[in-house]
Amino acid sequence: MNKVSMLCLVLTESSIDGNIKFYQKYSDYCDILELRADFLAPEEWPKIHSLPSQIRKPIILTFRKPADGGHFKEGEALRIQLMRKALEGAFQYIDLEEDFSDNDFEAHVRKKGVTIIRSFHDFTGIPHELAQRIRKLPRNAKEIPKAAVMANTTEDLLSLFEAAEELGSGDRIILAMGSFGFPSRVLAVKLGSMLTYSSDSKQQAAPGQLDPESLAKIYNFKSITSETEIYGIIGNPVMHSLSPKIHNRGFRMLNLPKIYVPFQVDNLEHFFKLARVLNIRGFSVTIPHKENVRKYLHQSDEGVEKIGACNTVVLSPANQWTGYNTDAMGFLLPLKKQFQGTLKNRRATVIGAGGGAKAVCFALKKEGMEILVVNRTKARADELAREWQMQSAGLDEIERIKDYSDVIVQTTSMGMAPLEKMNPLEAYHYSGHEMAYDIVYKPPLTLFLEQAQKAGCSILNGESMLKEQAYLQFKAFTGQEYPDPLGLTLF
Ligand code: NAP
């Protein structure tokens, strides 16, 4: 059978009763628990031993000192005394730090049949020779080594997976904290980690932890095995991305052994090394890597070549990275569905001259439309217009839009937080016959769309584009159509 990792719910309430209630909220999702006894109020300390009899799952007892990221500020003698008392209850595991030294207590722990997790924490980075350090942690064959380290870069995450490879098989717990380390929590099984820690988003016991419901429902955590194929999205930042929700839903519905994970990437070269280590089969690309990722591709489609940006990369059967741009078609499909009649020889205005605008212009040009590009920085609009035989204007010349108004597309960041109060066409007078399309997807009704709608225009927002470009990626990743697209709710 393929290996899986356990989902460990971290209990960080200040009372035993509070922890039981917290556990009940997530009991369906977790396999094991960790009581962070250092989060308890002092008056709760004498009751710790009562917890295991009230929860029918294995529990790790952890009493963390500030030096290891914990809250227990009293002396070591009291900590040991409290742990000894706590072990009157049937805890299966106890987490003791690398530098813990009390032979009497450890003998007592072993006599009770409690397994020791021997841990070290580094909240600043990844120590050199991590694999060696982990190998040296256990004091006997029964102890389980645990390393919780901070990933500050993509290279750090790469070192973690390389260390896991070097270690080979054997029980252990390994994770990297922080948003660069996030994939280590979802892909715990690929690190050979027996569990991943999870807590409520409000009460994270360590940076980067995800709540159990999201791990189970968005990331299909229970179905990730050592054999699961890895996909993902690269960007910086990337944790806000809705793509994991879209793709993992598709994988789950079609029962595909695949997982899609966000990778925060500060260095593409390091990511491509990581992709080989993890055998990543394909990934989406978002800001700021859409242009630079092209350097690493073996081949790419016409959209990537012409737009100069790639949002989808797939590993071909010949092990070559192939780039696609699904933004352009993702933009076009909803427009074609909604627009009555042909787009050929119709006239469009595209507001903006950035990456999004280029994909939009490419799609509209392919349909044979006449285009006016309007941008705050007119020189950028001029350059794009020159390249693709279009017209250009500055944002102070919006009266020119009248002649290019079958479709008006808004592609700037205006309308989206923090620019949600901005509308590039505030001074424009709509006739009511224009079709207004904003590629911003949050909020669903930007000021630009609101104004057009009030004037009687038909409107489209960026959510349909976001979904369509993702469905095209899904097809590129799996060879299959995205299942039940109408059932997908993102917001
Ligand atoms: P980008 O390459 O950085 O371009 C930004 C554009 O916005 C430029 O034309 C810029 O004008 C303009 N702009 C920014 N701030 C402005 C301001 N305060 N006043 C006037 N113009 C301003 O960004 P992008 O990749 O094209 O993305 C733009 C938007 O499209 C984002 O909201 C993004 O979320 C959205 N988008 C949506 C989808 C989807 O699937 N729905 C896909 C891609 C992008 P200057 O040239 O004068 O700086």
Side-chain angles (χ1 to χ4, degrees), residues 287 290 327 352-357 375-377 380 395 411-414 416 419 422 439-441 462 465-466 469:
I287 293 165
K290 284 187 180 186
D327 278 336
N375 196 42
R376 173 180 64 178
T377 310
R380 263 183 110 184
L395 261 183
T411 76
T412 77
S413 346
M414 282 190 274
M416 186 181 76
L419 307 179
M422 291 182 83
I439 73 164
V440 167
Y441 52 81
M465 171 177 174
L466 176 72
Q469 62 80 30

Side-chain angles (χ1 to χ4, degrees), residues 192-252:
S193 185
M194 69 179 230
L195 57 80
T196 195
Y197 294 98
S198 174
S199 66
D200 210 63
S201 48
K202 286 180 261 78
Q203 291 169 300
Q204 287 190 354
Q209 270 180 20
L210 194 67
D211 69 275
E213 194 170 352
S214 304
L215 262 176
K217 289 192 172 166
I218 299 178
Y219 291 99
N220 311 332
F221 185 77
K222 296 266 167 82
S223 65
I224 307 174
T225 73
S226 41
E227 301 305 309
T228 303
E229 291 179 358
I230 304 174
Y231 293 79
I233 177 164
I234 64 167
N236 194 6
V238 75
M239 294 307 293
H240 64 283
S241 171
L242 293 164
S243 298
K245 203 171 166 182
I246 303 176
H247 290 286
N248 287 324
R249 173 185 179 272
F251 295 158
R252 182 169 56 244

Side-chain angles (χ1 to χ4, degrees), residues 46 84 205 274 326 376 429 446 450:
R84 190 181 277 268
L274 180 66
T326 68
R376 173 180 64 178
H429 295 289
T446 57
E450 198 180 334

Side-chain angles (χ1 to χ4, degrees), residues 68 97-99 118-122 125-138 145-149 163 166-167:
D68 299 298
E97 299 78 10
E98 183 183 30
D99 59 356
R118 189 70 64 178
S119 64
F120 85 83
H121 297 80
D122 189 331
I126 310 264
H128 288 299
E129 313 217 317
L130 179 61
Q132 290 259 44
R133 175 111 180 245
I134 293 171
R135 217 174 260 133
K136 282 188 194 150
L137 278 173
K146 168 184 167 184
V149 293
E166 200 182 322
L167 282 168

Side-chain angles (χ1 to χ4, degrees), residues 317-379:
N319 253 351
Q320 297 203 314
W321 295 115
T322 307
Y324 303 91
N325 187 307
T326 68
D327 278 336
M329 276 306 285
F331 159 78
L332 195 60
L333 287 171
L335 178 65
K336 285 178 89 168
K337 272 185 211 158
Q338 196 156 328
F339 197 83
Q340 310 289 324
T342 172
L343 291 169
K344 193 166 167 57
N345 296 328
R346 300 275 188 167
R347 300 184 137 227
T349 294
V350 175
I351 305 155
K358 268 190 133 178
V360 167
C361 290
F362 172 77
L364 297 179
K365 277 297 278 186
K366 271 194 100 93
E367 289 300 302
M369 292 187 86
E370 301 288 324
I371 300 169
L372 171 70
V373 185
V374 181
N375 196 42
R376 173 180 64 178
T377 310
K378 173 130 187 315

Side-chain angles (χ1 to χ4, degrees), residues 61-62 64 79 83 94-100 102 105-106 109 116-120 137 139 143-144:
L61 174 68
T62 301
R64 199 70 81 219
R79 188 167 83 113
M83 289 195 286
I94 186 165
D95 184 318
L96 296 177
E97 299 78 10
E98 183 183 30
D99 59 356
F100 183 85
D102 187 313
F105 179 68
E106 289 194 10
V109 170
I116 294 175
I117 296 172
R118 189 70 64 178
S119 64
F120 85 83
L137 278 173
R139 295 182 189 172
E143 291 193 4
I144 298 169

